[in-house]
Amino acid sequence: MSDFQPHPLPMCLRLIHISLISLVLACPAWAQPESESDPESKAEKVVTLNTKADGYRGIWYMNQPSGDEYVYKYSGGLGTYCAKHKPFAIYCPEVNKTFFCYGGSTAEDNRQLLHMVSYFDHESKQVPRPTILLDKQTNDAHDNPVISIDSDGHLWIFSTSHGRSRPSYIHRSVRPYDIEEFELVHATQSTGDQEIPITNFSYMQIWHSDKGFHAFFTRYGDPAARTIGFMSSSDGRQWSSWQRLAAIEQGHYQVSGIGIDKLGTSFNYHPQGKGLNWRTNLYYLETEDNGDSWHTVDGQPVEVPLTDVQNPALVHDFESEGLNVYLKDLRYDARNRPVLLYVTSGGYEAGPGNDPRTWWISRWTGKRWERFPITTSDNNYDFGELSIVSPYDWRLIGPTESGPQPYNPGGEVAMWRSVDRGRTWNRVRQLTQESPMNHTYVRRVLHAHPDFVAFWADGHGRQPSESRLYLSNSNGDVYRFPESFDGPMTSLEKVP
C-alpha cells in the first residue's frame, strides 16, 4: 500500500502516592501474584493510568552536556524520539482514523515523561483529549512508547526502557480502535521449557502482519553493551525466544522494516575501545520465515549472532573512511528490495567541525548496492523517514534546513522528492520557516492517509522549553496540535 494513497478535568498530574508508584516500578505488575477475586491487581492499576490530558505537550530532553555553545550532544523537543523506535503513527481505514502515541509531559514539568495515546479523525478533522497511559517515572525520552494495531483493531503500546534500570510494559486497548481504556499485558517469552515474563526491552520496533507481531529490539549487556535482537508472537502475549542478531565488539544500533513476506534490519556497530558515541559501518540482514533463518540481501545464509566486523552482511565499510553512521529508516520498494536511509558525519560532537552531515540512501538493485546522496544538514540527530508513494515518487520529510538553534538537533522541515528511485533528489517545499524553536524527529505514518503523513515535535535546542506537536499532509501543509483546549474534541491550527 502506498504511503499517501487515499482510502475509499484538567490534567491529572499524580493519581497515586509517589511511594506506591516507586514500589510498583521496582517490582513490575506482571511479576506480582493476582488476586483470584480481582484479576487486575492494585499494582496494575497504578501502572495503567487511563486518564485524560487537557491538550498536547511533548517532552523536552537532553543528553550529555558538551560544555560549548551547543550545550548538549543532543537535546530538544523529543516526544517522537528516537530513530530506533518505530512506529509512532498508523492509519486505519476501517474507522478512518490515524492513531498515534508520543512522549508527553505536563504543563508544570516539561521533563516528566508521560506515555500518551490519541488519534486524528479524518472525517471531522479533529482530535480528542489524549489518553495518559502511564507515568514512566523518568525524564528520559529513550523510554518513549511505540504503537501497533492487531488484526482485530486493538491498539498495542510498547513502553520501552533505556537499558535495564527501569521496567518495560506492554498494553492493549480493551476495545478495538479505542483509546479510552488500556489493560496491562502479562507478556512472556519462551526459553526452552519455560515461559519467562518480559520485563525489559530497549529501542523497540514493532511490526504487525497476518502472522502476528514481529519485534526488533535491543538488550543491554547481552553480551555486548548494546545487543540487537528479534522475537515474534501470534497474539502479543506469548513470544518466541529472543534471537541475538549481532553482538560485534561493543554492539549496535538498528532500524528495521517489513516488506512483502520479508523482515529486515539495518545496523551499524560500536568499535571496541572508542566508546559508544562512535558508530560506523552499515550492515543489512533479512528473514523470510519469521526469524527461523537469516540471510544477506543476495540470499547468502548467515548464522546469528554476527560477531565479526567483516562479515557477509556488510553493505559499506565506513570505518575505513573515518565516518560515523546514524541510521534513520529502512523501507522496501515496489520490487520488495530494501532501501536504507542514514546520515554520515565526521564525529559525534555537535558543531561544524564534523560537517558535512550527509543524508544517503543505499538501495539494492537485485545485483548490487547503490548509494546516492540526498542533501546535507547540520546535526547527526536530524531525523526523517522515507515514504515510497509509488515506484517513481519517493519522499523524505525531515528537518534538513538550518533552524533557529543551528547545529542543534532538528531545524526547519522540508519535503524532498525523487522520481528516479532515489538517484537524484529535489527539495519541493519547505514546510516550516521562521520558527522560534527547532523541529525534530519527523515520523512517517504507516499506510498514511493524505491528510496526515508525518508527525513531529518542536523544542528549544539549547535549553529546556515547552514542546508542541505537529502534523503534515501530503501537500506539505502543517498543522499544530493545541497545548490545551476545552471540550472533548478540537481542530488543529494551521501553521503559516
Side-chain angles (χ1 to χ4, degrees):
M1 183 183 295
S2 67
D3 288 295
F4 300 162
Q5 180 181 349
H7 293 273
L9 21 147
M11 171 81 72
C12 178
L13 302 180
R14 299 286 181 185
L15 298 181
I16 308 296
H17 190 275
I18 188 67
S19 62
L20 182 55
I21 292 179
S22 300
L23 176 61
V24 174
L25 292 179
C27 183
W30 55 57
Q32 301 179 24
E34 295 180 354
S35 165
E36 293 182 1
S37 60
D38 182 10
E40 184 181 41
S41 67
K42 292 180 180 179
E44 183 168 325
K45 290 178 181 177
V46 172
V47 170
T48 310
L49 297 180
N50 284 326
T51 59
K52 289 293 183 180
D54 66 348
Y56 292 81
R57 304 178 184 91
I59 187 172
W60 190 93
Y61 175 67
M62 67 81 184
N63 186 281
Q64 192 172 327
S66 56
D68 56 22
E69 64 182 294
Y70 311 108
V71 188
Y72 306 106
K73 182 177 72 171
Y74 63 88
S75 55
L78 300 185
T80 54
Y81 175 81
C82 60
K84 286 79 67 180
H85 288 194
K86 297 174 184 283
F88 279 82
I90 305 173
Y91 173 64
C92 293
E94 297 85 353
V95 291
N96 201 23
K97 294 177 180 178
T98 294
F99 294 92
F100 58 93
C101 66
Y102 61 97
S105 67
T106 71
E108 291 75 18
D109 185 354
N110 55 40
R111 301 195 63 192
Q112 176 189 347
L113 179 59
L114 304 175
H115 283 193
M116 314 293 280
V117 190
S118 193
Y119 65 83
F120 178 83
D121 187 319
H122 291 272
E123 182 174 355
S124 68
K125 305 295 189 291
Q126 292 187 320
V127 293
R129 292 175 179 269
T131 294
I132 307 173
L133 177 59
L134 60 83
D135 181 341
K136 199 60 166 61
Q137 294 294 299
T138 182
N139 61 14
D140 191 342
H142 288 86
D143 282 34
N144 277 344
V146 294
I147 190 171
S148 189
I149 300 177
D150 65 24
S151 300
D152 295 323
H154 291 276
L155 281 61
W156 291 69
I157 303 297
F158 293 78
S159 296
T160 58
S161 298
H162 191 191
R164 299 197 186 193
S165 63
R166 291 181 294 275
S168 304
Y169 305 102
I170 302 173
H171 283 85
R172 172 185 178 272
S173 67
V174 173
R175 292 169 291 277
Y177 307 113
D178 184 83
I179 68 167
E180 298 305 306
E181 185 180 4
F182 288 82
E183 61 182 1
L184 189 64
V185 174
H186 301 250
T188 61
Q189 64 147 321
S190 240
T191 57
D193 58 353
Q194 296 185 37
E195 295 291 326
I196 298 177
I198 296 176
T199 60
N200 178 262
F201 47 79
S202 300
Y203 301 118
M204 176 63 78
Q205 299 161 52
I206 185 75
W207 310 105
H208 191 271
S209 72
D210 57 5
K211 297 178 181 178
F213 295 94
H214 319 278
F216 293 83
F217 62 97
T218 296
R219 283 278 287 177
Y220 278 52
D222 191 26
R226 293 186 177 103
T227 300
I228 55 175
F230 174 80
M231 63 178 175
S232 62
S233 172
S234 61
D235 63 2
R237 299 179 185 277
Q238 291 183 309
W239 292 78
S240 65
S241 59
W242 290 358
Q243 287 182 289
R244 297 177 181 89
L245 300 181
I248 302 170
E249 298 193 6
Q250 286 195 272
H252 313 268
Y253 289 121
Q254 70 175 337
V255 296
S256 62
I258 184 168
I260 302 170
D261 296 325
K262 179 185 293 187
L263 296 155
T265 177
S266 172
F267 52 99
N268 53 24
Y269 99 103
H270 302 288
Q272 193 71 43
K274 297 191 71 172
L276 292 169
N277 276 325
W278 295 96
R279 63 207 62 182
T280 190
N281 283 359
L282 183 65
Y283 302 88
Y284 173 81
L285 282 177
E286 63 183 37
T287 178
E288 295 175 339
D289 52 19
N290 202 25
D292 287 344
S293 64
W294 295 86
H295 55 263
T296 60
V297 69
D298 58 358
Q300 180 180 346
V302 298
E303 293 294 324
V304 294
L306 298 171
T307 56
D308 296 325
V309 173
Q310 296 296 319
N311 64 69
L314 182 64
V315 174
H316 189 85
D317 181 358
F318 285 104
E319 186 170 19
S320 64
E321 300 173 15
L323 292 175
N324 272 13
V325 176
Y326 296 83
L327 306 168
K328 308 301 177 183
D329 203 8
L330 189 167
R331 299 302 315 277
Y332 289 91
D333 65 15
R335 300 177 183 177
N336 205 31
R337 295 171 179 170
V339 182
L340 317 180
L341 175 69
Y342 53 97
V343 168
T344 60
S345 81
Y348 74 89
E349 302 95 339
N354 286 314
D355 281 346
R357 274 85 174 191
T358 305
W359 293 66
W360 299 91
I361 66 158
S362 286
R363 70 176 192 184
W364 178 250
T365 67
K367 295 182 178 179
R368 64 185 181 277
W369 288 103
E370 291 185 338
R371 179 163 57 104
F372 304 109
I374 300 173
T375 186
T376 60
S377 63
D378 63 12
N379 189 275
N380 298 328
Y381 297 90
D382 296 337
F383 180 87
E385 294 177 310
L386 285 171
S387 291
I388 298 180
V389 183
S390 71
Y392 296 99
D393 187 358
W394 293 12
R395 301 188 192 186
L396 165 66
I397 300 177
T400 59
E401 314 308 297
S402 184
Q405 293 89 49
Y407 286 101
N408 286 95
E412 301 288 8
V413 178
M415 180 187 292
W416 295 79
R417 185 169 181 246
S418 174
V419 296
D420 55 8
R421 300 181 188 272
R423 184 177 296 273
T424 61
W425 293 81
N426 292 299
R427 192 185 71 178
V428 295
R429 184 174 180 182
Q430 184 165 324
L431 278 60
T432 64
Q433 53 192 341
E434 299 180 358
S435 303
M437 299 186 293
N438 284 358
H439 297 265
T440 54
Y441 282 85
V442 180
R443 316 308 301 230
R444 66 180 174 90
V445 180
L446 267 62
H447 319 306
H449 185 290
D451 288 347
F452 187 170
V453 302
F455 172 55
W456 69 88
D458 71 359
H460 200 285
R462 301 177 187 178
Q463 64 187 34
S465 71
E466 70 275 12
S467 176
R468 300 162 299 184
L469 298 166
Y470 299 79
L471 71 78
S472 170
N473 63 24
S474 60
N475 294 325
D477 302 318
V478 176
Y479 297 83
R480 183 166 48 234
F481 290 81
E483 294 177 76
S484 64
F485 61 95
D486 297 323
M489 301 283 291
T490 191
S491 300
L492 278 63
E493 175 189 0
K494 188 173 182 180
V495 177

